[in-house]
Amino acid sequence: MISRPYTKLDDGSAVMRRPLVLVSIGLAVAVWACGEADGGAEPRAAAPSPTPIFVERASEAGLDFIHQSGATGEYNYPELLVGGGALLDIDDDGLLDIYLVQSGPVPGTAGNAGIRPAFGGPPADRPGNRLFRNLGNGAFEDATAAAGVGDTGYGAGATAADYDRDGLVDLYVLNVGPNRLYRNLGGGAFEDATERAGVGDASWSSGAVFFDYDGDLDLDLFVANYVVWSAARERPCLGPNGLRNYCNPAEYPPAPDTLYRNEGNGRFVDVSEAAGIRQVAGPGLGVVAADFDGDGLVDLYVANDQAVNHLWLNQGDGAFREDALARGAALNELGQPEAGMGIAVADPDGDGDLDLFLTHLSGETNTFYRNDGAGFFVDATDEVRLGGVSQPYTGFGASWFDYDGDGVLDLFIANGKVTPGDTAAFDYREPNQLLRGLASGSYEDASTAAGAAVELLEVSRAAAFGDLDNDGDVDILVVNNEGPARLLRNEVGNAAPWLIVDLCGGGILDRSAIGSRVTVRGGGRSWTRDVRPAQSFAAANDPRVHFAFGDIPGVDHIEVHWSHGGVTERSGVPVNSILRLLAPGGAAPAEGVCRDAD
């Protein structure tokens, strides 16, 4: 993650304490406007809006969560990158609940001495993860104890999916140390199914995705692991200002990723070697699963930190082939590896294939990889004006979504430094960014227009996207490192006609039919979205797909291509509604909202 060379200290000199990050509420700052590499013209900035686009509502909603990294001044590497969470509907009441991952004392370090050596059991006073249940009135209540999901490992992120096809969404927690799988029992309760399922990967796991790679309708699990880390591997390193700082990720060996095949009986089998996933290893931070080459098979893309990215192409016989370099998605246009952190995947240009957006370190740029339709990519970052606007910042969580309802996908990036720069201030805070997508295919910086909520100076990591109040627009959950979670309520996105499509697997598929594709047509235009909750960074998003139509008043036709091959079509669907569709042949549950619209 740190691009400049770092010098090792051999004398074990005194440690400079890393101060806690300051929390700034309502503080607005100016966002940098930098010239683009394609001619020096500055990207156009959106005019300030009389109504804030986003308003921060965490405190009044009852989200009283403050992340703890466990920083003690020893510069233990895990504390720099953590901060994750998930949006999931634990009780299938149609409301998204919030799961927030806590970190706390770093395993095996001085700050944890005598409390939790190595990766042993938790002490009574160790902070744990928290689950907040959505009450439907703009408020949340802490349901952690009742649900039994307060894992006290050193948390790094989370993802969610119905892995056993019982219609209830389960939860997978990523840790520095053994991961945790919580199986949803219904009624708001979970059980720890890690040992039975066999998915307690003991690495430093940074991202994970449930997906069906072998076509048996059961969701398999891919875990992106970062580096081989232990407190014993740490050594003093200097930053670019000549002061003590965190080491470069190259100081640690990359950790191999893991692929678990779902056996359909509540158990998984590690097939990493047989599938070819262990042929190469990289310091993975973000991962997405999607059919990038259009062959009907689900592939994997892994963002690696300061190393070539990996594009694992599904061969259809249980094996994967890594082909990122040949496909143009391993390096930037200059042939350089970058500090891959977060990943967004969508079809922002409407050409029918899936493009990629990766967040990177300051001094680099975030990268837009355009797909040619056959799974070959070109770095089009400067062409769409995403280069200069991102260069001053270090990005983590990100996603494409339509924040203003105009029918064009926009981008939000959660920013936070990993190196304090060339001063002794040791300030890791940065503003986040909102970039508005234009009909031309390029982007303009709308951060200042978005309001003070987007410009808070904090150290942001995960960002999760979903309609938390079911009002038709996409809200954002931001998880800060050493700071409070933020709930950014969208105030403007439902002014235009909208539609949310909620797919129900009905037992044939998982609850949300992950991997299915929805196309909506109206007014001579069409929009396509996939069910893909696992993207961004260390986060799970709303599995429902959101559409907005700008000045087009209605929907002519909806077509769903289910992940198991079935097709559902509907006409005359009213806008400004949530449409729930049941997979063909699926059974609606006795309780919950998973019902066919008919």
Side-chain angles (χ1 to χ4, degrees):
M1 184 124 8
I2 301 166
S3 61
R4 305 186 192 185
Y6 273 58
T7 304
K8 301 174 186 176
L9 296 176
D10 296 321
D11 58 1
S13 57
V15 173
M16 177 172 292
R17 185 177 181 84
R18 176 189 172 192
L20 295 179
V21 174
L22 299 177
V23 177
S24 301
I25 300 175
L27 177 63
V29 298
V31 176
W32 294 19
C34 292
E36 295 284 350
D38 58 358
E42 292 186 352
R44 183 160 53 96
S49 169
T51 301
I53 296 171
F54 290 97
V55 176
E56 206 288 300
R57 302 290 191 192
S59 180
E60 68 181 66
L63 294 178
D64 58 340
F65 178 89
I66 297 179
H67 177 263
Q68 301 174 42
S69 71
T72 62
E74 295 291 332
Y75 294 91
N76 293 296
Y77 196 36
E79 66 196 31
L80 184 63
L81 305 181
V82 289
L87 302 180
L88 71 163
D89 185 355
I90 64 166
D91 45 10
D92 203 28
D93 63 353
L95 298 169
L96 289 172
D97 309 298
I98 293 175
Y99 188 76
L100 292 166
V101 176
Q102 188 59 274
S103 302
V106 180
T109 66
N112 205 29
I115 298 178
R116 189 173 180 244
F119 297 129
D125 59 347
R126 185 179 178 85
N129 302 345
R130 295 176 68 188
L131 173 67
F132 293 88
R133 183 172 174 267
N134 193 335
L135 300 179
N137 58 359
F140 292 78
E141 66 177 4
D142 192 325
T144 312
V149 292
D151 183 44
T152 53
Y154 191 85
T159 194
D162 174 18
Y163 77 88
D164 53 2
R165 282 195 281 156
D166 64 354
L168 299 169
V169 179
D170 311 299
L171 180 64
Y172 189 64
V173 180
L174 304 167
N175 290 320
V176 180
N179 297 335
R180 189 81 63 193
L181 176 65
Y182 289 110
R183 179 175 175 263
N184 196 330
L185 301 175
F190 291 74
E191 67 175 1
D192 186 341
T194 313
E195 185 174 353
R196 171 178 169 78
V199 292
D201 195 312
S203 303
W204 174 349
S205 299
S206 56
V209 56
F210 284 97
F211 72 121
D212 181 12
Y213 81 89
D214 52 6
D216 64 356
L217 308 187
D218 291 315
L219 292 178
D220 310 298
L221 174 63
F222 181 89
V223 180
N225 292 318
Y226 187 46
V227 297
V228 178
W229 180 89
S230 68
R233 287 184 177 272
E234 291 287 17
R235 62 189 68 197
C237 291
L238 291 178
N241 54 10
L243 300 175
R244 176 73 184 275
N245 202 351
Y246 297 96
C247 294
N248 189 294
E251 297 290 332
Y252 315 92
D257 299 330
T258 305
L259 176 63
Y260 295 102
R261 187 182 66 224
N262 191 334
E263 297 291 280
N265 57 2
R267 300 179 186 274
F268 292 75
V269 174
D270 185 342
V271 294
S272 308
E273 291 286 354
I277 297 297
R278 292 286 168 85
Q279 292 177 4
V280 293
L285 285 175
V287 59
V288 293
D291 180 8
F292 290 108
D293 55 3
D295 64 355
L297 301 170
V298 186
D299 312 305
L300 291 160
Y301 186 85
V302 182
N304 290 315
D305 186 6
Q306 294 296 318
V308 294
N309 301 318
H310 292 157
L311 175 59
W312 293 103
L313 295 179
N314 192 333
Q315 302 300 290
D317 58 0
F320 289 79
R321 185 183 81 252
E322 204 292 298
D323 207 27
L325 191 61
R327 297 271 175 165
L331 306 165
N332 66 13
E333 65 177 351
L334 301 177
Q336 299 168 336
E338 295 176 294
M341 274 88 88
I343 309 179
V345 59
D347 181 16
D349 49 10
D351 64 355
D353 53 43
L354 294 172
D355 305 312
L356 287 161
F357 177 79
L358 273 66
T359 56
H360 295 128
L361 185 71
S362 61
E364 302 172 344
T365 69
N366 297 335
T367 303
F368 172 65
Y369 291 106
R370 176 177 288 140
N371 193 335
D372 72 347
F376 290 87
F377 294 85
V378 61
D379 182 346
T381 306
D382 288 334
E383 179 185 338
V384 298
R385 311 191 73 80
L386 286 171
V389 72
S390 63
Q391 198 166 22
Y393 304 108
T394 295
F396 281 84
S399 186
W400 270 296
F401 71 115
D402 186 356
Y403 79 82
D404 54 1
D406 66 352
V408 180
L409 290 178
D410 314 296
L411 281 164
F412 177 89
I413 302 103
N415 293 320
K417 296 178 186 178
V418 295
T419 179
D422 296 324
T423 73
F426 282 81
D427 188 353
Y428 292 77
R429 301 173 302 162
E430 289 184 316
N432 297 324
Q433 289 178 287
L434 182 66
L435 305 176
R436 180 171 178 261
L438 306 177
S440 63
S442 61
Y443 294 81
E444 67 177 9
D445 192 344
S447 305
T448 302
V454 172
E455 297 182 306
L456 289 168
L457 281 173
E458 293 175 317
V459 188
S460 298
R461 294 295 182 249
F465 300 78
D467 189 353
L468 284 151
D469 47 8
N470 285 345
D471 67 348
D473 49 33
V474 178
D475 310 301
I476 308 173
L477 172 72
V478 178
V479 185
N480 291 309
N481 179 288
E482 282 285 353
R486 298 295 187 184
L487 178 57
L488 307 187
R489 294 279 193 184
N490 192 328
E491 299 290 299
V492 303
N494 58 6
W498 56 270
L499 179 70
I500 293 174
V501 180
D502 183 4
L503 300 185
C504 304
I508 293 177
L509 302 172
D510 62 278
R511 164 59 181 87
S512 301
I514 288 173
S516 299
R517 173 164 289 190
V518 183
T519 298
V520 176
R521 298 181 177 87
R525 293 186 60 190
S526 68
W527 298 262
T528 298
R529 307 277 189 269
D530 290 354
V531 180
R532 187 176 297 104
Q535 55 178 307
S536 186
F537 173 82
N541 306 279
D542 191 345
R544 305 171 299 179
V545 289
H546 172 267
F547 297 90
F549 307 110
D551 58 0
I552 294 175
V555 174
D556 299 328
H557 190 74
I558 293 177
E559 186 172 292
V560 179
H561 287 260
W562 299 86
S563 56
H564 70 327
V567 178
T568 296
E569 297 186 64
R570 293 285 187 273
S571 298
V573 175
V575 295
N576 300 334
S577 65
I578 298 176
L579 174 66
R580 297 185 176 96
L581 293 174
L582 189 65
E591 298 180 0
V593 300
C594 185
R595 298 281 195 276
D596 193 286
D598 294 342

